[in-house]
Amino acid sequence: DADVTQTPRNRITKTGKRIMLECSQTKGHDRMYWYRQDPGLGLRLIYYSFDVKDINKGEISDGYSVSRQAQAKFSLSLESAIPNQTALYFCATSPPGQGFEQFFGPGTRLTVL
Amino acid sequence: RKEVEQDPGPFNVPEGATVAFNCTYSNSASQSFFWYRQDCRKEPKLLMSVYSSGNEDGRFTAQLNRASQYISLLIRDSKLSDSATYLCVVEGGTGTYKYIFGTGTRLKVLA
């Protein structure tokens, strides 16, 4: 079984709809991250959480919100989706401290029409 | 200036060739450095961490030059299966634990 899972894997929605992307991990890591990836722009950090009570904005948090329901679960919400939020979204985890690799989920491909 | 810069490529090389990628970073306080591999539409996966002394894993060698603020990845004896995008990742400077990703360098190994 995958250590980091994301649901849904693909989603097509319309402008103005509320969307939730979910991420679960079995690695026991405290740190979790949400990124989006767009062609030519690389991965950009949306939000990150170092534990259940610690949530921080990344470089592109506008239009997004998150919820850390438990150590293992970190959800990303688009309150009112817009077309320029069409992207590939990745959840990732890492152990605490510096110098550790991140482990990524398989990604969610979101299309906003 | 971008925090992490890579040549996007693509690098098209024949099987068996040696290919090298460079990546520059702007924050001199950065502490940790990585190369990730990403296949088309898949998640990034760690290829190797990059240490000050350099490190080698089979056909792959990574080096760090702190004075010039760049890291490199050398792939020897390229295989078709090495075709992918290689992401340079820099862990932020003192007091921050954010990972900054380059946009990636595309490699295509040709038969």
Side-chain angles (χ1 to χ4, degrees):
Chain A
D1 287 341
D3 295 320
V4 185
T5 57
Q6 292 183 234
T7 56
R9 295 293 311 279
N10 289 282
R11 181 73 184 267
I12 299 174
T13 191
K14 294 183 178 179
T15 297
K17 294 290 188 182
R18 185 178 187 272
I19 298 295
M20 180 180 286
L21 310 183
E22 303 198 10
C23 176
S24 293
Q25 52 114 347
T26 59
K27 299 194 75 66
H29 291 165
D30 287 326
R31 297 185 175 185
M32 297 187 74
Y33 310 79
W34 274 105
Y35 293 91
R36 66 176 280 176
Q37 186 173 36
D38 300 273
L41 293 178
L43 275 79
R44 293 182 291 165
L45 184 64
I46 306 172
Y47 271 94
Y48 62 104
S49 170
F50 283 175
D51 66 39
V52 175
K53 296 181 181 177
D54 179 43
I55 292 179
N56 305 279
K57 292 182 177 181
E59 58 183 304
I60 54 163
S61 58
D62 287 349
Y64 301 94
S65 63
V66 290
S67 172
R68 184 82 184 267
Q69 301 96 320
Q71 187 206 38
K73 295 184 182 297
F74 193 34
S75 301
L76 177 72
S77 294
L78 287 67
E79 296 300 326
S80 180
I82 56 176
N84 77 357
Q85 292 177 313
T86 293
L88 184 55
Y89 289 84
F90 288 108
C91 172
T93 74
S94 70
Q98 218 162 18
F100 295 102
E101 71 173 287
Q102 289 184 304
F103 295 85
F104 286 83
T108 295
R109 184 162 297 278
L110 177 66
T111 303
V112 183
L113 301 175
Chain B
R1 181 185 172 188
K2 289 183 182 177
E3 291 184 87
V4 177
E5 290 201 72
Q6 296 181 249
D7 181 342
F11 284 58
N12 295 321
V13 302
E15 262 187 301
T18 295
V19 62
F21 308 137
N22 283 336
C23 165
T24 59
Y25 61 95
S26 61
N27 187 345
S28 60
S30 298
Q31 298 294 314
S32 306
F33 308 89
F34 309 89
W35 283 102
Y36 279 70
R37 172 193 167 125
Q38 185 176 25
D39 294 295
C40 188
R41 299 180 179 222
K42 298 285 184 72
E43 72 272 28
K45 292 184 179 178
L46 181 71
L47 178 67
M48 56 200 312
S49 301
V50 188
Y51 306 120
S52 296
S53 56
N55 51 310
E56 187 173 318
D57 182 3
R59 298 182 293 108
F60 299 85
T61 300
Q63 294 199 313
L64 167 64
N65 184 318
R66 284 192 182 273
S68 301
Q69 295 181 206
Y70 76 84
I71 67 173
S72 64
L73 178 67
L74 182 77
I75 305 175
R76 289 180 297 276
D77 188 22
S78 298
K79 311 290 185 192
L80 294 175
S81 57
D82 293 334
S83 298
T85 296
Y86 292 84
L87 305 176
C88 170
V89 184
V90 174
E91 192 174 4
T94 306
T96 70
Y97 298 99
K98 292 186 289 185
Y99 299 79
I100 312 297
F101 286 76
T103 54
T105 298
R106 245 178 79 207
L107 171 65
K108 191 166 185 180
V109 181
L110 307 171

